[in-house]
Amino acid sequence: MNAPIVIENLTKYYGSFLALDKLNLIVPERENIGLLGPNGAGKSTTLKILCALIRPTSGAAYIDGINVVEKPEQALAKIGAIIETPEFYTYLTPVETLGYLGRLRGMKGEALKKRIDEVISLVKLERWAKIKIEKFSRGMKQRLGLAQTLLHDPPILILDEPGLGLDPRGVVEFREIIATMGAKKTVFFASHQLVEVAQICKKVAIVNEGKLLAYDTIADLEKKYQTLEQAYLQLTGGSGE
Amino acid sequence: MSEFDKLRVVIGYEFLKHIRRRRLYIIMAIALLAEALALILVPTLMTGGFPKDQIVGGVVIKGVMVMAMILTFGASLAAIGSVFFAGDAIAGEFESKTGFILFTNPVKKTTLWVGKYLAGFLAVGLLIIFTYVVMAIALVIIYHEVPVQIFGSLGLCLLYAAAVLSLTFLFSALSKGSMGATVMTLLFLFIVSQIVESILAFTDNPYWFMISAGGDSVTLPYGSLLQLMQGLGIGGGGGGPFGGDMSSFGALTIPLAIWGMLIYIVGGFVGAVLISRRRQLA
């Protein structure tokens, strides 16, 4: 239970639809783990349970040893998360949004102001820092989403398709930021982009129909299936040929 | 960081939302328009200008009280404006998916809802106080006095706003979307509650527990509605159909109306918190 993220027999039903089927997974400290799978595989459901946005039907999820269902506030204090395309209050500017979220996490004063400037600069939103979010494109919201994830310098990052909506330059910048930050943090990262995952993570978990199909290093999967793409296709039901 | 500190943060930013949104100023304009129309139409349409002191059935009905009652409609409109402050409070976080950011912060949902409620009440409260100040200025200009009962009316109006806010929170917790919550609350306030209240009143049954009775109570500190209507020269003790109707509304007292509104304030908000706790952001 000492690993940053522990998932035990996690099961989730949406009505009669089984989204997660007794999923077990451990994400070790300071490792970047990619969560791969086709649409409806259970990736987002897993991350949403870890972020206390939804409750599991059975099983448990732990962040830094804290049960997410039982003590959500304590668990959430340890993470920074982007789930789906982030939406923000349109009447606030990025600086105000980060001020709000930072204060909710106990940050204040000059330290908060300095950190807001740092993360805004990191995601290259300086020109838009004091413009209301109602004017933002999807990619800009994604950048702000990453900024709020990093604002409080959490030890664990949970990212659901963080590159979604970004232009090619944005994707590259995003990847660099996550790769740099990931060297010092635990990153659990869901994506459809195999190339993106391969550049950020050394290890991946492949899920389909709520079940864990493989959890191995990319190098080992490539040895076994020739490429990560082949591993993904064969494990998730494609021919792979 | 304590939950109280977080509550203060939530109130601050939620209040900022109300200040920045156009709806606050639209509701303010409508409330002021209602007061302005009363100040123009009453002296124009009534013979002899603004209502004057008169004795009806041995009871002195002061003109300033009658005018205060009429002007209070503007403040009541501001109280009803609570619906537009709270319709999206809970439903909006799910509908617009801003909850994906907000709910991943280490703050209790109850703290978020209480903060949103208090910020909404603060905004609508300031709006109501503003309309009462305008009303007081108008009364000073016309009658050279402001009845002390205006404070009682203000208190009841704030209580009514709090009750409407709670009810809207309840519908916001139940509803998938903000618009649905707003429409459902307005339908409940103006159709369901009004109809039930009227039926109960006409059949001589207590109706203080209806939220619309809370709205009616805002003018009670100035005197009974029947007396004040008589001060306007209408509803003369059951002579006409309107007068007959008004006589049925004498049963509402201020303490009963306060109890009724407290039920909605507590019941509505607690219900909203319990229901929204079960909601998941899938």
Side-chain angles (χ1 to χ4, degrees):
Chain A
M1 210 78 81
N2 289 330
I5 298 174
V6 176
I7 293 166
E8 281 181 355
N9 288 319
L10 210 57
T11 302
K12 176 68 183 176
Y13 277 94
Y14 291 112
S16 60
F17 176 74
L18 180 60
L20 283 182
D21 188 5
K22 293 179 183 165
L23 187 74
N24 286 286
L25 198 70
I26 292 174
V27 179
E29 195 173 358
R30 293 193 184 187
E31 281 203 27
N32 297 357
I33 306 294
L35 185 60
L36 296 171
N39 291 327
K43 304 186 299 294
S44 291
T45 299
T46 306
L47 299 192
K48 283 175 185 171
I49 290 172
L50 286 170
C51 293
L53 293 169
I54 55 176
R55 286 180 293 277
T57 307
S58 63
Y62 300 89
I63 297 280
D64 228 8
I66 302 161
N67 188 312
V68 173
V69 176
E70 289 171 4
K71 295 174 181 172
E73 291 83 28
Q74 285 183 37
L76 291 172
K78 311 272 183 184
I79 67 164
I82 303 181
I83 304 293
E84 297 193 356
T85 303
E87 292 296 338
F88 298 92
Y89 295 133
T90 51
Y91 59 90
L92 295 179
T93 66
V95 168
E96 289 166 345
T97 299
L98 296 172
Y100 183 19
L101 300 174
R103 283 181 181 93
L104 280 181
R105 287 185 177 273
M107 302 168 78
K108 54 188 169 184
E110 273 305 304
L112 174 60
K113 198 169 169 290
K114 193 174 164 231
R115 183 63 185 156
I116 288 171
D117 289 343
E118 279 172 15
V119 290
I120 279 185
S121 166
L122 192 68
V123 299
K124 297 191 167 49
L125 269 181
E126 297 99 323
R127 276 178 54 218
W128 301 87
K130 290 180 179 170
I131 308 262
K132 279 189 193 166
I133 296 166
E134 63 190 1
K135 296 184 171 56
F136 277 28
S137 67
R138 194 174 175 184
M140 288 157 71
K141 285 180 191 171
Q142 205 76 18
R143 285 172 186 267
L144 182 56
L146 184 62
Q148 67 84 29
T149 304
L150 301 171
L151 180 69
H152 51 291
D153 199 19
I156 301 165
L157 298 182
I158 293 175
L159 310 171
D160 185 11
E161 301 281 359
L164 212 67
L166 290 169
D167 56 36
R169 178 181 293 276
V171 171
V172 173
E173 289 169 358
F174 224 79
R175 200 184 294 151
E176 285 171 0
I177 293 168
I178 295 171
T180 310
M181 292 294 160
K184 295 173 276 180
K185 296 178 190 297
T186 306
V187 181
F188 196 33
F189 171 46
S191 178
H192 290 293
Q193 305 296 322
L194 300 183
V195 177
E196 192 177 45
V197 171
Q199 288 179 344
I200 295 171
C201 311
K202 287 197 175 118
K203 200 171 177 183
V204 294
I206 300 176
V207 291
N208 196 18
E209 295 176 351
K211 288 183 179 147
L212 182 66
L213 304 176
Y215 186 36
D216 214 337
T217 60
I218 293 174
D220 283 347
L221 285 170
E222 283 174 344
K223 267 187 211 162
K224 205 169 167 185
Y225 296 92
Q226 293 182 323
T227 63
L228 179 60
E229 190 179 57
Q230 284 297 322
Y232 177 86
L233 290 173
Q234 287 184 34
L235 286 165
T236 57
S239 68
E241 300 301 325
Chain B
M1 187 186 191
S2 71
E3 283 301 315
F4 183 72
D5 290 331
K6 291 175 189 172
L7 178 66
R8 282 172 46 194
V9 173
V10 176
I11 293 171
Y13 280 89
E14 282 293 320
F15 185 68
L16 182 66
K17 171 175 83 178
H18 296 309
I19 294 292
R20 287 193 179 170
R21 291 208 293 196
R22 219 173 296 165
R23 62 188 71 175
L24 174 82
Y25 305 99
I26 292 172
I27 295 165
M28 184 190 285
I30 291 170
L32 290 178
L33 182 68
E35 290 185 340
L37 280 173
L39 289 168
I40 294 164
L41 291 176
V42 169
T44 308
L45 299 176
M46 279 186 72
T47 44
F50 288 108
K52 293 181 175 57
D53 296 354
Q54 54 181 296
I55 299 168
V56 178
V59 179
V60 177
I61 298 171
K62 292 191 77 179
V64 68
M65 294 292 203
V66 176
M67 199 58 209
M69 178 200 73
I70 296 168
L71 289 171
T72 299
F73 291 141
S76 299
L77 278 175
I80 292 163
S82 305
V83 176
F84 300 97
F85 289 109
D88 64 350
I90 296 173
E93 297 292 350
F94 293 86
E95 186 183 25
S96 63
K97 300 193 170 182
T98 44
F100 280 126
I101 294 292
L102 190 62
F103 300 159
T104 55
N105 284 282
V107 53
K108 288 183 192 301
K109 294 234 175 68
T110 308
T111 305
L112 292 172
W113 307 143
V114 172
K116 281 168 176 273
Y117 182 90
L118 292 176
F121 182 70
L122 192 62
V124 81
L126 288 173
L127 195 57
I128 289 169
I129 290 168
F130 177 70
T131 60
Y132 270 88
V133 168
V134 171
M135 190 167 101
I137 292 168
L139 292 175
V140 166
I141 292 168
I142 300 163
Y143 294 98
H144 308 292
E145 65 168 313
V146 178
V148 72
Q149 287 87 343
I150 201 170
F151 293 105
S153 173
L154 171 63
L156 287 167
C157 195
L158 289 172
L159 214 53
Y160 178 56
V164 173
L165 206 59
S166 276
L167 188 69
T168 314
F169 261 71
L170 180 62
F171 281 115
S172 189
L174 284 166
S175 174
K176 275 192 171 178
S178 310
M179 185 58 78
T182 305
V183 170
M184 279 195 282
T185 313
L186 288 172
L187 284 175
F188 186 86
L189 272 177
F190 290 110
I191 310 288
V192 179
S193 185
Q194 291 280 3
I195 290 172
V196 176
E197 183 193 336
S198 299
I199 292 169
L200 291 171
F202 295 151
T203 53
D204 270 341
N205 284 296
Y207 58 90
W208 56 269
F209 47 83
M210 298 309 299
I211 192 165
S212 48
D216 296 340
S217 75
V218 174
T219 58
L220 282 181
Y222 304 123
S224 81
L225 197 55
L226 179 61
Q227 284 176 350
L228 294 168
M229 295 305 273
Q230 286 168 341
L232 279 169
I234 51 178
F242 187 49
D245 288 353
M246 295 312 296
S247 63
S248 301
F249 282 80
L252 186 66
T253 63
I254 292 173
L256 280 176
I258 291 172
W259 275 115
M261 288 189 281
L262 286 175
I263 289 171
Y264 284 91
I265 292 170
V266 176
F269 188 73
V270 170
V273 169
L274 293 177
I275 291 165
S276 58
R277 264 190 191 172
R278 297 185 59 80
R279 280 182 84 159
Q280 299 185 67
L281 195 49

